[in-house]
Every structure is written in structure tokens, then in C-alpha cells.
Amino acid sequence: MCGIVGYLGARSPVPLLVDGLRRLEYRGYDSAGIVVPVNGRLEIVKAEGKLDRLVEVLQGRELAGVYGLGHTRWATHGIPSQRNAHPLLDAKGRLAVIHNGIIENFVSLKKRLAGEGWDFVSDTDTEVIANLVSSHFDGDLRVAVERTVAELEGMYAFAVLALESSEPEIVGARSGPPLVLGRGDGEQFLASDPTALLAHTREVVFLENGDLARLTAGGYEVWNSSGEPVERPIVRLNWDPVQSEKGGFKHFMLKEIHDQPQALQDTFAGRVDFESGEVGFDALELTSQEVAAIDRIHLLACGTSWHAALVGKFMLEELTGIPVEVDYGSEYRYRDPLVREGDLAVGISQSGETADTISAMEAAAQRGAKLAAICNVVGSQVTRLADGVLYTHAGPEIGVASTKAFTTQLVALYMLGLYLRQRLGRPVENALLADLAHLPQAVAGVVAGERDFEELAGHFFEASDFLYIGRGANYPIALEGALKLKEISYIHAEGYPAGEMKHGPIALIDKSLPVVAIATGERVFDKVLSNMQEVRARDGIVLAVTDRDAEALGGGADHVIRVPRVSELLQPIINVVPLQLFAYFVAVRRGADVDQPRNLAKSVTVE
Ligand code: AGP
């Protein structure tokens, strides 16, 4: 996600802004910029790429101001470029804005503002904020921001400064992504998170959703969502700066597991109308004729994203009735696949740079397929290759082991199914939407019980082998659970369809081989229960992920991991979370390098 830094005080702002942005680099970004009002001008310096590029461009620029804003951008709307980098000016060049979040109604606001004569030079939703504030600005910046946020829908933490303010001032607003103030000695700070401020102050104020804040030389003021002045508590941080890069979590992977409720929410927000059932995407459009012409959907991916594709097959076939073929990128690209003109090929990739997935997409396109992508990185190769993109809004995923990207890919696949269903003229019933809206809360409930998994890991971290079993859409989750464990703890683990036990794996069963069984839903629950009892009858140890009480398992499990029940198609999203946490705590107990496991890269850009 984007990084925000603001400074107002007696020191030169540029070094402080750059230092603050450096401390936010872990958040992932693709461009950076700063703005400093100097002698009645807004001096803006921006650069695509890493901060070193920005520092190069800043060389020799004398920006001797007393306040300024800095930003690192993680693109959500508009490809990474100088043009789309923040800060962004309003059309009249009166003020500059930096922003973290997603403005869901930016298209309609942009249309209205353009109709009123406001020009736009970028593809970003942030520029709408700049023009909106300017349209309300008559000298009182805080009131202009207050009127602006009343028109915004979505998630935002933004800061703005204006040339025509009567004194140096920075106004910030928060609804969703965090925004904190820092109080120094005669100087004020504002940032996305305390990491950027720790070098200068440990006294911070965490703004609440709906708060507005105004920073001036004399200090800061805060107003709540009702426009009333409020006192927010000053928190004294004793954070270790290194730790704080992970938001206080020990590893990025654990932080990203905890990010999932918000990431799921951000991924479906603004795309599903839970009243009407209308589903729409801002960067993927298929006509009813194009959808009617789809003979087969090809899902192409690698690793965890391939597991998402396997779950996606169940979702898409059930929601659309269109046959779905799933393939590893590395296999598809070399097997001369059968593709009909008008088929839909969907590349699924967190990084958008996986060589095998890219080549598979090219192979499908060469044979007449229409290309779509489900991806987490705006402007990556996969997104540039595709005719349309359904972005997962998971934010940067730093840990090599994919977690929030996977669950948001599943939500994206589910929404794609709803969208195609709608284009086929079939109804999107409420029953298909209710549990989607409930997902973030259900996942938050599982994540809240993380200590249970730490305790469970204590029993099994010395095991040398694991077997994961599931049926139906839970079979890919068994594969994913096994991959999570093996890639960060280096324990041999394999996933198997539970129904295959008698065809081989049952020979492995003994008391040294823990078996993780995923037993949820109605369709095949009894069958999985039988498999669990077969394991137990041979002195095997069963850890069950289930939506039932322990009694319902009839002694089929040694350890029961209870998960909330949602619809069968969405249940895999819930069921994977305990397996992520279990793998994480086993790896921690083994002293493994959780975020950077040996031999692995976050993105496999070569074959
Ligand atoms: C999953 O935890 C691994 N990091 C790996 O399997 C990954 O899913 C695979 O390399 C595909 O990456 P992508 O989603 O960026 O294409």
C-alpha cells in the first residue's frame, strides 16, 4: 500500500520526507514524490521506480521550505508512471494531495468534475480528491477537506497542502487506511504508520476513522466525523524500528495473514452491489456476446496461484456452467493446448511476472483465446499482456509464502463467476452474495484464534512428514496447506484427494505421520469423515479443519480446528487460514527464515 509522510516545522523538509519514505519502503511501491511550497510555488519532484531515483532527481534542487508532503505509491488505479505518481495537483495548481486507499466512486466524481471544467492529467483516483478539495477551497483548507470527504466513497488516508493557506498548514483525513500524527519539539509530523516518525518522535496520535487533522506551526487539531473538535490520546511508542516495519508483527507473513480481512474487503468493495447483485470491474469488460462465445475457460498459473485456479474451477463451473480447464503455466506452454477462438484464458498471478504463466497466456492468445488476468501488481507484465485485468487489492505481499494474495484471488475468481453469470443472463441471487459480504468478519474470527495454532504447532514441529487431505474444492486447499508448510518449514508435506487414500497414501499411515483433514460442508463431509476414521484405525494422527462440533466427528480426529461455515464455494477461503497459521507457527518453532525461505524467490521471473 502507499506510504504517506508530512512535515511542518523549522527544519528543511526534504531530508525528513525522504527519510520517512525510506522507512516505509517495506510497504512496496513503484514510484515516489514530494512537494514543498517554496516562495509561493508548489515545488513537486516525482520519479518512477525506487526512492534512489527520486533522490537523484532531487540532487541540486534547493527546496528550502518549512513544510512538505512525501509519498510512495503502490498503484491501484493507473499504471506506475511519473504522470500517476503522487503528489498530484488540482487543475488550478493551487494545492497538492497524497493519498493511500481506493476511492470507489472516483469514476462518477471524475465525470462530474470534468463536466464542470476540471482538467485531469493522470489515471488516478487521487486526482479527483485534488480537484474536489480545490472546488471547495475558499481559504479554509480544513473546511474544503471536510466538504470533500462528504462526497467520497471508499477507503482513504490523504493529506493536502495549499498555496493560498493563510499560514503553513497540512490537513489530513482518514477513513480506512491508518494515518498518524507525530508531535515533535516545535514540529509536527503526519504519516501512514509510526515507522516513518520513530527517528523524530515517539509521541504519536492515531487518527480514527472519519477524523480530520490540521497541522500548523503551533501544533495540531483534530475533528471527528461529526465535525466536532476532539482530543485523541497521545501514545508513547517503544517500538523497535525494525519491528515496526512489520506493523509490530514478527514476520511479514504473519502481518499478511492478519491483513486478509481488509484485503478481502478491499477486493470486493466497489465491485459488487450487494443490493442489486450487479457485479462490475473497472479494468475488465466482457460483452454478453463475448461471454456467450466462450466454449471453455482456461485458468493458467503456478504454485499457490495454481491452487487458486483449482478452486476457481469449482466456482466458475457452478456459477456459469462453462467448462473450466486448469493448467500449470509450465505444462500448458509446451503441450500445444486445444483452444477455440473466443475461449477465455485467465492468467492468475500475485506478482504478474511469473515467466511460465506469461508464456502460457501467450500460448493461449496465439490460439485465439481472449486474455484476462487476476493480479496483485498494477502494470506488471501479466496485466500488460491481458485484454482486461481483475486486480486483487491485497496490497504488497512481502512474505515469499503467499497468503492474502491467495485468498483475494479466490474472491476475484468468485466475482468473475458472478460477472460471467450475469452476462449470461442468469440471476445473481442473494444467496450467492450474503456470505461474500460476511467473509472478512469470518476470516477475522479465525485469525483472532492464532494462539491456538501456536500451541498446536508445539506438538508437531518436529514431524518429518505430513499428509493433507480434502475433497472437492477442499482438495486444492489441502494442496495449498501442504505447500505452505513445506516452503517455510522445509518439512515434507503433500496434499492428496481424500478419496485417493486407499489408492496408495494409506500405506504411509502410522503414528509418526500427522494427517490434516479438511472436513467442511455437506456434499462430501461424510466421505472425508470415513477417511479420517480409516487413518485413526491405523494409529494415524488426525488434525481436522471442520465446521462441525468435535462430537460430530465421532472420534475421527485427535485435534479439531473449528472454522465458521459459509457457502460451499466460499468455504475454501476460510479453510486455508488455519493452515496458513499452522504452517507459520511450525516454521517459527523450527527457527526457519519465514519471510525468505531458502532457495525461493517471491517472483519466479525465469523458467
Ligand atoms: C506460494 O507461496 C509461492 N510463493 C509460489 O508458489 C507462488 O505462488 C508462485 O511462484 C506463483 O507466483 P505468482 O502468483 O506471483 O505468479
Side-chain angles (χ1 to χ4, degrees), residues 4-44:
I4 284 177
V5 184
Y7 173 76
L8 193 152
R11 291 189 281 171
S12 167
V14 173
L16 294 167
L17 293 173
V18 172
D19 172 64
L21 293 180
R22 281 213 185 282
R23 295 169 191 275
L24 297 178
E25 282 194 289
Y26 75 88
R27 300 163 70 93
Y29 65 102
D30 41 55
S31 57
I34 65 165
V35 60
V36 178
V38 180
N39 302 330
R41 283 172 46 83
L42 290 175
E43 294 291 349
I44 288 195

Side-chain angles (χ1 to χ4, degrees), residues 62-299:
E62 271 306 305
L63 301 180
V66 293
Y67 67 122
L69 299 173
H71 186 268
T72 47
R73 180 174 183 246
W74 169 266
T76 54
H77 293 82
I79 60 169
S81 63
Q82 174 102 3
R83 186 166 61 94
N84 290 329
H86 301 199
L88 286 154
L89 293 175
D90 69 305
K92 295 178 181 170
R94 304 164 75 194
L95 50 87
V97 173
I98 56 175
H99 164 228
N100 178 25
I102 297 168
I103 304 302
E104 292 160 17
N105 61 335
F106 90 95
V107 173
S108 54
L109 288 172
K110 184 167 183 173
K111 208 167 162 184
R112 192 197 82 199
L113 287 163
E116 293 166 2
W118 292 88
D119 293 335
F120 289 87
V121 297
S122 82
D123 311 320
T124 67
D125 52 348
T126 306
E127 197 177 8
V128 167
I129 299 176
N131 278 337
L132 215 42
V133 174
S134 187
S135 71
H136 292 300
F137 184 43
D138 57 6
D140 187 326
L141 191 57
R142 198 266 302 179
V143 168
V145 171
E146 192 171 60
R147 290 178 184 153
T148 295
V149 299
E151 299 189 68
L152 298 181
E153 290 169 20
M155 325 277 295
Y156 53 80
F158 70 83
V160 54
L161 55 74
L163 276 179
E164 295 151 29
S165 290
S166 55
E167 61 174 317
E169 65 176 340
I170 293 172
V171 174
R174 182 221 164 174
S175 178
L179 198 58
V180 298
L181 309 181
R183 188 173 70 162
D185 182 9
E187 51 190 15
Q188 318 303 330
F189 299 85
L190 169 140
S192 307
D193 77 41
T195 304
L197 310 176
L198 286 180
H200 311 293
T201 177
R202 296 214 169 226
E203 294 192 341
V204 298
V205 172
F206 290 89
L207 294 183
E208 295 189 12
N209 275 335
D211 282 359
L212 287 189
R214 178 173 180 261
L215 285 67
T216 59
Y220 64 86
E221 305 153 88
V222 181
W223 291 262
N224 64 16
S225 53
S226 310
E228 298 144 351
V230 287
E231 288 288 322
R232 296 295 180 210
I234 294 175
V235 175
R236 180 152 181 76
L237 292 177
N238 55 7
W239 278 15
D240 156 16
V242 175
Q243 275 309 81
S244 69
E245 289 204 356
K246 306 177 183 89
F249 290 98
K250 191 160 187 276
H251 297 101
F252 280 112
M253 183 180 174
L254 185 59
K255 173 186 173 297
E256 287 148 12
I257 291 171
H258 279 261
D259 283 350
Q260 290 181 116
Q262 190 62 55
L264 294 169
Q265 174 76 32
D266 292 349
T267 298
F268 64 64
R271 292 162 155 176
V272 179
D273 181 325
F274 287 98
E275 296 298 318
S276 68
E278 186 73 24
V279 180
F281 310 119
D282 52 354
L284 172 63
E285 182 68 42
L286 290 165
T287 64
S288 301
Q289 291 73 16
E290 285 171 323
V291 176
I294 299 173
D295 186 58
R296 179 177 299 275
I297 298 171
H298 306 247
L299 301 182

Side-chain angles (χ1 to χ4, degrees), residues 302-305 349-351 354 400-402 409 483-484 487 604:
C302 301
T304 283
S305 299
S349 175
Q350 187 285 129
S351 63
T354 301
V400 164
S402 189
Q409 284 169 350
L483 174 62
K484 285 286 99 46
E487 69 174 326
V604 183

